[in-house]
Amino acid sequence: MARFILALDQGTTSSRAILFNDAGKPVSVAQQEFPQHFPRPGWVEHDPLDIWRSQRDTALAVLAQAGASPSDVAAIGITNQRETTVLWDRRTGEPVHNAIVWQCRRTAALCDTIKADGFDATLRAKTGLVTDAYFSGTKVAWLLDNVPGVRARAEAGELAFGTVDTWLLWNLSGGALHITDVTNAGRTLLYNIYTGDWDDEILAYLKIPRGLLPEVRPSSQVYGETVTNPFGTAIPLAGMAGDQQAAMFGQACLKPGMAKNTYGTGSFVLLNTGTEGVPSNSGLLTTIAWQLSGEPVIYALEGSVFIAGAAVQWLRDGLQIINSAPEIESLAASVEGTDGVYFVPAFVGLGAPYWDPYARGTLVGITRGTTRAHIARAALNAIALQSRDVLDAMHADSGISLSALRVDGGAAANNLLMQIQADVLGVPVQRPAVTETTALGAAYLAGLAVGFWPGVEALEAAWSVERTFEPRMSESERAALLEGWRRAIERARDWANGE
Ligand code: ADP
């Protein structure tokens, strides 16, 4: 009997592998960093072979650590850094260029052209995304236009495009499978998330041949199996989803109205909107949350905040008022409140729901009584208030009122921050026992497809809360805090315009 599900968690700076048992508990973990390439300012690349090799090596390492053999693995699930773009030769498997990473800004000018043409409204209506260099479509167009010989080879059917899920699946299957899942397809800017197909009008506009594109499948399904190398046995390849979507599935946010927030460098809120894709008028993305085999697509609204835990890093490295990130908690707890100080950490502009690239960081309301403790507390408030802004936008777009927020990511370990989040939202904040939610989500998707878990009810039952933070702030206190935050945001906005 196979005892484990192997989750491959391919991230932006490292590849991780985790072996889960049938209780959804991690049994062993392996991680390997790989090189980042910055060929020009604002450009970011990875070598696709580094991605594959580091992922393969961590998969083998995690088995060895657990004393498990490949035949102990019931299925493999993949979750991945989203939007990163790979183009390779179908016959040799050789990439034609480095992968263009989601962070890469090289297609910003192409995005400006799309907006000048007025085509951005079409993209928004069909893909749920905003026209930004972040997404894969313009990256594919760039490769076709800029790498010698690539367009001719693409038109002759010699090449394959994939996001990182597709690239790993191709390699794991020895080149037999050219498949992506709906969540990854939905981040390409080429996929109509409402009709469920690559969009011919968009492909024609960006001059991308359809023959490059992978087949789109549900997030949970047996796609095929591993060829004997590197595992020496055939293991079902059975689940794939982008990282934020996998985290939402791992958090068992399975019903409409359930939301999760991941507090890392930035923070990512996803709200389950059920079988309806809700278009946003508030600067959010409409995205596919997942699709189980034989079931309808589930949609989400997504809001990304650029700076969350990174504000804590700045207090540590920039201001040097703390020595480590966790220290912020005791410092901030040494005062009752901020005494009217607000910190807007708009270091790189503001993301959802403001999308203001010219906003910059501000500290307002400082008096002679202000101490580093007030600033630390204002930083925690800011992380919570930015998430409140995103959830307010989600409410405005969907009419859905949140009943609780499930949390994960490095900064979710901060109890004071979680209490402030509950206070600012006025709803309970729930921190789960297993915080490896991204990998767990990939494991669940794969495990469901092979019957390792009988159904989603089992996942709901397995999700358990480590601690719930109940809101304690009075309505009037909350209203005053939100009003001050609104005014602080106004001070931060548009600051660098005309610099
Ligand atoms: P990422 O995946 O984006 O690298 P992680 O989920 O590993 O992020 O979380 C790391 C971030 O969380 C860092 O920005 C760090 O400053 C912040 N962080 C870690 N521990 C704490 C803490 N106890 N309180 C507040 N922030 C924290």
Side-chain angles (χ1 to χ4, degrees):
M1 261 306 278
R3 299 177 287 151
F4 303 119
I5 299 288
L6 173 60
L8 307 181
D9 179 1
Q10 207 302 305
T12 307
T13 56
S14 71
S15 296
R16 284 150 54 79
I18 303 187
L19 216 49
F20 287 95
N21 66 17
D22 62 1
K25 295 277 181 314
V27 175
S28 70
V29 181
Q31 180 161 358
Q32 207 180 97
E33 291 197 6
F34 58 86
Q36 310 286 311
H37 301 281
F38 307 106
R40 291 192 203 176
W43 290 30
V44 189
E45 297 180 355
H46 294 156
D47 182 339
L49 296 172
D50 285 340
I51 291 178
W52 161 236
R53 287 190 206 112
S54 58
Q55 193 63 76
R56 181 194 61 195
D57 293 352
T58 57
L60 294 172
V62 90
L63 288 173
Q65 279 170 33
S69 76
S71 58
D72 291 323
V73 177
I76 295 176
I78 299 170
T79 180
N80 55 289
Q81 53 166 319
R82 301 180 299 176
E83 297 102 8
T84 296
T85 298
V86 191
L87 217 54
W88 67 91
D89 185 300
R90 288 179 181 277
R91 199 174 46 82
T92 64
E94 280 291 318
V96 304
H97 190 272
N98 271 345
I100 304 182
V101 177
W102 58 273
Q103 296 159 322
C104 186
R105 306 308 302 172
R106 81 182 61 191
T107 57
L110 174 53
C111 291
D112 290 341
T113 305
I114 294 172
K115 289 180 202 158
D117 285 354
F119 197 65
D120 54 329
T122 305
L123 292 177
R124 183 93 168 123
K126 291 182 168 190
T127 69
L129 307 175
V130 294
T131 297
D132 191 275
Y134 183 16
F135 305 105
S136 319
T138 59
K139 300 180 195 291
V140 182
W142 188 93
L143 289 168
L144 291 170
D145 285 338
N146 290 279
V147 184
V150 158
R151 180 170 296 282
R153 289 166 70 192
E155 275 162 8
E158 293 171 18
L159 303 184
F161 152 73
T163 41
V164 168
D165 53 318
T166 305
W167 169 243
L168 291 177
L169 192 75
W170 171 277
N171 282 286
L172 286 162
S173 67
L177 303 175
H178 186 216
I179 292 172
T180 190
D181 93 296
V182 287
T183 70
N184 279 293
R187 310 296 292 194
T188 59
L189 210 63
L190 307 174
Y191 187 73
N192 187 319
I193 61 167
Y194 300 104
T195 63
D197 195 8
W198 301 114
D199 189 273
D200 287 322
E201 185 188 3
I202 299 174
L203 294 177
Y205 177 89
L206 288 172
K207 301 190 185 66
I208 296 174
R210 205 178 232 273
L212 270 181
L213 308 177
E215 193 184 330
V216 185
R217 297 276 194 88
S219 320
S220 173
Q221 186 181 71
V222 179
Y223 309 117
E225 46 190 33
T226 54
V227 288
T228 51
N229 176 38
F231 297 104
T233 184
I235 306 171
L237 296 158
M240 300 197 290
D243 51 12
Q244 296 304 324
Q245 285 92 337
M248 188 180 195
F249 200 72
Q251 285 274 27
C253 288
L254 301 174
K255 298 203 176 76
M258 295 180 83
K260 71 91 196 173
N261 194 2
T262 302
Y263 301 82
T265 307
S267 76
F268 288 89
V269 186
L270 269 80
L271 171 75
N272 182 329
T273 63
T275 52
E276 292 294 316
V278 177
S280 177
N281 298 312
S282 316
L284 304 172
L285 305 178
T286 308
T287 205
I288 296 176
W290 58 76
Q291 182 184 26
L292 302 182
S293 194
E295 294 191 19
V297 162
I298 302 299
Y299 294 89
L301 279 170
E302 175 176 321
S304 22
V305 171
F306 298 145
I307 304 289
V312 180
Q313 288 173 340
W314 181 70
L315 297 195
R316 186 193 60 193
D317 305 335
L319 286 190
Q320 302 184 351
I321 62 173
I322 48 174
N323 291 313
S324 71
E327 243 183 68
I328 194 174
E329 186 168 355
S330 54
L331 181 59
S334 69
V335 287
E336 291 277 305
T338 67
D339 270 355
V341 174
Y342 287 86
F343 174 27
V344 183
F347 303 152
V348 292
L350 287 167
Y354 303 104
W355 296 104
D356 181 351
Y358 300 111
R360 287 296 177 271
T362 45
L363 262 170
V364 294
I366 298 171
T367 64
R368 286 197 62 179
T370 300
T371 66
R372 63 195 189 105
H374 295 112
I375 292 172
R377 193 158 185 123
L380 297 186
N381 280 356
I383 297 173
L385 286 160
Q386 292 185 103
S387 298
R388 159 100 201 199
D389 288 341
V390 168
L391 285 156
D392 281 349
M394 288 178 170
H395 177 71
D397 282 337
S398 68
I400 293 174
S401 296
L402 197 65
S403 55
L405 181 67
R406 296 187 170 187
V407 298
D408 51 54
N414 187 317
N415 292 329
L416 178 60
L417 172 61
M418 296 299 102
Q419 183 58 51
I420 293 172
Q421 186 70 81
D423 288 340
V424 159
L425 290 174
V427 301
V429 164
Q430 301 172 320
R431 189 169 61 199
V434 176
T435 50
E436 293 281 7
T437 54
T438 307
L440 181 59
Y444 278 164
L445 290 166
L448 283 174
V450 296
F452 189 78
W453 288 292
V456 291
E457 301 73 26
L459 314 185
E460 269 164 341
W463 187 87
S464 70
V465 64
E466 176 256 332
R467 182 158 169 192
T468 299
F469 299 84
E470 296 288 346
R472 291 201 293 242
M473 188 177 268
S474 70
E475 279 295 339
S476 59
E477 224 182 318
R478 182 181 308 129
L481 186 63
L482 293 175
E483 173 57 17
W485 174 248
R486 191 191 59 73
R487 294 198 299 130
I489 287 274
E490 284 313 312
R491 298 298 190 283
R493 289 194 71 168
D494 211 31
W495 181 260
N497 206 359
E499 232 178 24

